[in-house]
Amino acid sequence: MAKSPVNFVETPVADLYGSNCFSDVVMRERLPKAIYKEVKKVQTGEIELTPTVADVVAGAIRDWAIERGATHFTHWFQPLTGLTAEKHDSFISPTADGRAIMEFSGKELIQGEPDASSFPSGGLRATFEARGYTAWDVNSPAFLKEDSTGVTLYIPTAFISYHGEALDKKVPLLRSMEALSIQAIRILRALGNTGSKRVVTTLGPEQEYFLVDKELADARLDLVLTGRTLFGARPPKGQEMEDHYFGNIKDRVFGFMRELNTELWKLGIPAKTQHNEVAPNQFELATIFTSSNVATDWNQLVMETMKRIAPRHGLTALLHEKPFAGVNGSGKHNNWSISTDDGINLLEPGSSPHDNAQFLVFLAAVIKAVDVYAPLLRASAANTGNDHRLGANEAPPAIISMFLGDVLSDMLDKLAKGQPVKTGAKTKLEIGVTSMPKLPKDLTDRNRTSPFAFTGNKFEFRMVASSESVATPNTILNTMVSEVLSEFADILEKAKDIPGAIKEIVIQTYKEHKRIIYNGNNYSESWVKEAEKRGLPHIRSTVEALPEFATPGTVKLFAKHGILKKEELESRKVIYLEKYIKQINIEARTMVNMANREIFPAVFSYAGEVGANIGSVKSVSADIDVSAEENLLKEIMENLKNLKEHTKALESLIAEGEDTEGDIYKHALFYKDHIFAKMSGVRYYADKLETLVDKSSWPFPAYEDLLFRL
Ligand code: ADP
Ligand code: MG
């Protein structure tokens, strides 16, 4: 088994940290002062990047990468597959006399041209050229990726079409950050802030995942092809003992985590906390927050590194939202906040009256945005895997609501009713007049069931799918909040009495949108009913959620803030629906394959053995009672017959699904209502059979081994 790759006594973490990252420090060291200063200005959007500066930066990056042994570079981008993509070029440039020099120009740094034609375009390709360009994201540092034999230079980029349509998840994210900055600055100016120049959204995702023994995982076609188990009888033990959460970390898992941390630290990714999660063999890793675009790159790298490192420890990392039925699935907690360039967290309750007013305006904006755009926010967490979690009696529910905690809710309530609000200092809260007590953190985050919780100085969106890029949820979050901020800014910019206008905004927003606030248990049946009474949308499935990407409301919202155009949104909806159809199709076909070629033959030959045994026992004496074995055989054959029937039915549905053309939404609905639904029938009989036959006859590893043997 792999040992820790680094001895931290000999190599202090401080030396190792960021050693594979062309970070700000490295850039300052390696660039002429004037050029460095220009790059910083490019990063804050003050000036455009010039070819001269680009050439100097490219030269510095090249020298740094070559010193570290790199021969190739790649533009690294995030197409709509949800994965990352890369096409490698060597630095090699042949000379006339048969030698080679290592070159990397400013142009190669800034722009690449991968062939876009095989990435999903959702119909955009019909209208636009297939050509796609990658453009350097100046705010996300270049890095070196180490594989087992060498290193490669990676340049984080955005991916756009010839005509400027976004072909990836990064472009809209960057645009949404820009939009939010513009609107937030308007508010800040109206409140008298003249110092802050820009506002950035911050993001700190917590990543959940499972680890299973690689040999066991490789023996299951479902895990290999779909990332989740399509069969598996309930094991004698699940998560009911609650003994895994925060439990001792096993040695082998430590080995994995240690190497994972090391690799991430080298990339300059601040992996911070790690622990055992609720389900057996489930774990979590959280990185320290940073600006949303960089955090998004980091999270992609966290997921990729997990998958790459696990086999070195004889493990497979599963990032699927629901690898195992019967125990918790995985999600990603999206910790989100808004900060100014001069370090003010705008969602931090203040200690001065002025900060207070500022906090309440931004809080009100989030409350309104989450209520008005709840369906779109729900859609941002929709994917095939998450359908097993959201709304399926697992955390969190599919209904968007917001947790503010009793202290804050009570304060808003009293404010709205015109009642005096007692603050900690026994003074009354009058916006702009009195300070608000710093909200104690433990008071604000006791509710773990809320899909969108205020946690002291940030919001935690807990619906996000574990395997997906965080780009889309954050794009949507930023855009919808931008819109409400722009509405508030319109009012504040005209207001004569700013404290009065703020008070009006906060009170009115609270009154109109308090239905979205819910501090109770989100998993309870009573909440589902209560939410319905409040008129909150309850979108149960991915298929029903995805059209939200292109409703007239979304189109208007995204157009106003320059995030995505109608065609781009339409194409995204189509791509995500197509992805759903393809995933369910693969799952269904894998199921049929395993049922027909693994389960059926194994069970039938086991049944043959039982039959032969009954015969041979009976041949000793006809008086021996073999009814138990006969009943077993009958039960097996009965279930086997049902398994076959359901598998056949599933096969016909797949054939029908694959033959269907036309409306993509109806097609996806067919997959959900018929194919996905039928899959549970097949599983039911297979799982039943698993409990009836000899364990050694079962064709693939069982849940108890996958979940408990490490
Ligand atoms: P907890 O959720 O247990 O209260 P923390 O407060 O440490 O834990 O935060 C958990 C996650 O939230 C971490 O990934 C952290 O980086 C992130 N986080 C903290 N502050 C912010 C912020 N201002 N913006 C975005 N993410 C944040
Ligand atoms: Mg958390």
Side-chain angles (χ1 to χ4, degrees):
M1 200 168 298
K3 278 222 169 97
S4 169
V6 178
N7 176 337
F8 292 115
V9 178
E10 286 163 13
T11 313
V13 174
D15 291 358
L16 181 105
Y17 190 84
S19 57
N20 282 343
C21 176
F22 195 77
S23 60
D24 197 53
V25 192
V26 182
M27 197 155 68
R28 200 163 47 208
E29 260 169 34
R30 291 184 171 254
L31 290 179
K33 221 182 192 149
I35 301 280
Y36 172 77
K37 276 192 182 156
E38 277 211 41
V39 174
K40 295 311 285 178
K41 280 191 188 152
V42 173
Q43 285 179 338
T44 56
E46 286 165 73
I47 56 168
E48 296 257 319
L49 186 68
T50 64
T52 327
V53 171
D55 273 332
V56 180
V57 177
I61 295 181
R62 178 202 58 201
D63 293 347
W64 171 76
I66 288 174
E67 280 166 30
R68 305 291 311 280
T71 56
H72 284 69
F73 72 93
T74 180
H75 276 202
W76 183 67
F77 57 105
Q78 304 178 16
L80 296 171
T81 54
L83 306 169
T84 58
E86 48 193 74
K87 177 191 161 214
H88 296 221
D89 280 285
S90 75
F91 293 119
I92 292 218
S93 171
T95 60
D97 56 357
R99 292 173 304 124
I101 51 168
M102 301 292 260
E103 278 188 341
F104 183 52
S105 66
K107 201 166 159 272
E108 285 170 306
L109 168 65
I110 299 173
Q111 197 182 80
E113 194 187 334
D115 180 8
S117 58
S118 289
F119 291 109
S121 80
L124 270 185
R125 199 175 305 124
T127 26
F128 306 105
E129 269 195 84
R131 219 190 284 174
Y133 293 91
T134 50
W136 181 32
D137 175 4
V138 288
N139 282 304
S140 195
F143 58 89
L144 294 172
K145 200 155 160 183
E146 283 180 70
D147 55 65
S148 50
T149 55
V151 298
T152 306
L153 171 65
Y154 280 67
I155 315 281
T157 58
F159 185 41
I160 45 177
S161 79
Y162 182 71
H163 294 284
E165 283 85 19
L167 296 174
D168 71 352
K169 300 203 172 203
K170 188 95 181 255
V171 171
L173 176 66
L174 291 168
R175 289 178 184 159
S176 74
M177 292 172 71
E178 187 60 34
L180 195 135
S181 179
I182 292 169
Q183 302 306 335
I185 287 288
R186 285 179 65 200
I187 300 272
L188 291 178
R189 292 286 180 269
L191 301 190
N193 173 329
T194 50
S196 304
K197 290 200 198 97
R198 274 164 25 104
V199 164
V200 282
T201 52
T202 53
L203 165 61
E206 302 164 52
Q207 177 72 46
E208 290 182 336
Y209 63 100
F210 280 83
L211 290 175
V212 292
D213 183 275
K214 185 172 186 308
E215 239 175 76
L216 297 178
D218 285 348
R220 295 198 49 137
L221 191 66
D222 48 6
L223 281 180
V224 171
L225 295 184
T226 72
R228 79 171 179 104
T229 53
L230 301 168
F231 299 102
R234 189 181 151 193
K237 184 182 174 187
Q239 65 189 39
E240 65 273 39
M241 294 303 289
E242 300 173 339
D243 52 359
H244 195 257
Y245 189 59
F246 284 12
N248 291 334
I249 297 175
K250 287 182 188 158
D251 214 49
R252 193 169 171 195
V253 176
F254 252 133
F256 164 81
M257 288 178 168
R258 201 159 268 134
E259 187 169 6
L260 176 63
N261 288 332
T262 305
E263 290 299 309
L264 295 175
W265 290 341
K266 282 198 230 164
L267 290 167
I269 299 176
K272 178 74 173 169
T273 58
Q274 58 196 26
H275 61 80
N276 284 5
E277 258 300 332
V278 172
N281 285 352
Q282 190 188 28
F283 309 93
E284 182 184 293
L285 172 106
T287 48
I288 294 175
F289 71 96
T290 185
S291 61
S292 305
N293 58 326
V294 174
T296 299
D297 286 357
W298 283 357
N299 185 245
Q300 294 295 126
L301 287 169
V302 164
M303 293 194 286
E304 285 176 28
T305 311
M306 281 176 173
K307 285 197 184 150
R308 198 159 47 84
I309 299 238
R312 297 185 198 160
H313 300 264
L315 298 167
T316 297
L318 301 176
L319 294 169
H320 194 283
E321 289 71 25
K322 192 71 177 178
F324 303 100
V327 296
N328 275 16
S330 297
K332 194 137 50 187
H333 288 179
N334 191 92
N335 293 278
W336 173 89
S337 193
I338 321 172
S339 278
T340 63
D341 58 341
D342 48 351
I344 309 165
N345 181 345
L346 299 171
L347 291 173
E348 176 100 49
S351 47
S352 75
H354 173 272
D355 292 350
N356 237 344
Q358 177 181 285
F359 166 70
L360 288 173
V361 174
F362 283 94
L363 177 72
V366 181
I367 293 173
K368 179 169 179 183
V370 172
D371 186 28
V372 173
Y373 299 103
L376 185 57
L377 191 60
R378 160 69 180 91
S380 82
N383 85 343
T384 315
N386 237 357
D387 276 4
H388 298 276
R389 303 175 63 236
L390 308 179
N393 292 325
E394 194 182 317
I399 306 164
I400 297 265
S401 71
M402 199 166 169
F403 172 84
L404 289 184
D406 293 338
V407 177
L408 199 50
S409 302
D410 191 51
M411 217 176 254
L412 290 170
D413 225 30
K414 292 215 166 92
L415 213 55
K417 286 182 185 143
Q419 295 169 352
V421 182
K422 284 258 168 56
T423 69
K426 291 197 181 128
T427 46
K428 281 189 291 175
L429 178 87
E430 262 304 313
I431 292 160
V433 180
T434 321
S435 59
M436 177 151 80
K438 219 176 156 119
L439 294 170
K441 256 200 139 184
D442 53 341
L443 269 183
T444 60
D445 193 20
R446 279 181 308 188
N447 190 329
R448 289 273 156 192
T449 66
S450 174
F452 201 90
F454 181 67
T455 53
N457 59 1
K458 61 185 188 293
F459 278 95
E460 185 166 333
F461 180 33
R462 301 198 176 114
M463 274 186 174
V464 177
S466 57
S467 68
E468 292 280 337
S469 162
V470 285
T472 302
N474 287 284
T475 301
I476 285 172
L477 205 45
N478 294 346
T479 306
M480 64 197 215
V481 174
S482 298
E483 170 53 25
V484 181
L485 289 175
S486 81
E487 293 164 20
F488 289 179
D490 289 345
I491 298 170
L492 290 173
E493 281 168 356
K494 286 191 211 108
K496 300 238 160 50
D497 164 24
I498 293 287
I502 292 173
K503 187 172 176 179
E504 177 81 27
I505 284 175
V506 173
I507 289 174
Q508 207 190 341
T509 304
Y510 180 73
K511 280 184 177 162
E512 280 170 18
H513 301 285
K514 71 170 186 229
R515 63 169 191 167
I516 198 72
I517 298 164
Y518 180 64
N519 295 327
N521 179 6
N522 282 257
Y523 301 168
S524 65
E525 258 317 301
S526 58
W527 168 235
V528 177
K529 292 203 187 88
E530 164 74 17
E532 204 170 302
K533 249 194 257 161
R534 293 188 189 187
L536 297 178
H538 188 179
I539 305 174
R540 288 178 169 80
S541 70
T542 291
V543 178
E544 290 151 294
L546 290 177
E548 294 298 331
F549 275 96
T551 60
T554 307
V555 168
K556 196 169 152 225
L557 170 72
F558 273 60
K560 176 170 167 189
H561 297 280
I563 315 296
L564 290 169
K565 288 181 294 212
K566 185 165 191 262
E567 306 77 49
E568 293 170 302
L569 286 163
E570 278 288 343
S571 82
R572 267 156 221 256
K573 182 186 92 180
V574 169
I575 288 167
Y576 300 151
L577 283 167
E578 275 172 354
K579 186 173 166 186
Y580 177 85
I581 291 168
K582 287 174 190 164
Q583 280 177 332
I584 297 291
N585 204 46
I586 291 169
E587 286 189 356
R589 291 180 53 134
T590 305
M591 194 161 218
V592 168
N593 188 303
M594 289 172 83
N596 283 343
R597 300 178 59 195
E598 298 189 55
I599 300 173
F600 198 87
V603 175
F604 195 50
S605 69
Y606 177 69
E609 268 173 50
V610 175
N613 289 346
I614 293 171
S616 79
V617 170
K618 266 190 171 166
S619 73
V620 176
S621 158
D623 295 340
I624 299 175
D625 182 359
V626 288
S627 58
E629 292 74 10
E630 282 172 348
N631 287 339
L632 170 69
L633 187 56
K634 272 187 212 152
E635 202 180 347
I636 290 175
M637 294 316 292
E638 183 66 25
N639 281 294
L640 200 57
K641 187 179 107 213
N642 282 326
L643 174 71
K644 198 68 181 177
E645 275 173 19
H646 279 264
T647 307
K648 280 229 168 305
L650 181 59
E651 281 178 81
S652 334
L653 288 169
I654 294 170
E656 197 180 331
E658 287 180 345
D659 262 358
T660 309
E661 271 174 39
D663 187 86
I664 183 93
Y665 179 69
K666 283 192 194 140
H667 196 193
L669 265 188
F670 176 80
Y671 268 83
K672 169 174 113 41
D673 293 339
H674 298 283
I675 299 188
F676 181 70
K678 179 51 86 182
M679 286 168 67
S680 57
V682 176
R683 177 168 188 155
Y684 176 82
Y685 293 106
D687 289 359
K688 181 81 198 153
L689 284 164
E690 190 181 347
T691 66
L692 296 175
V693 308
D694 180 352
K695 184 165 181 180
S696 64
S697 303
W698 198 249
F700 40 77
Y703 263 36
E704 57 267 29
D705 299 317
L706 293 163
L707 284 171
F708 292 96
R709 290 195 207 276
L710 261 199

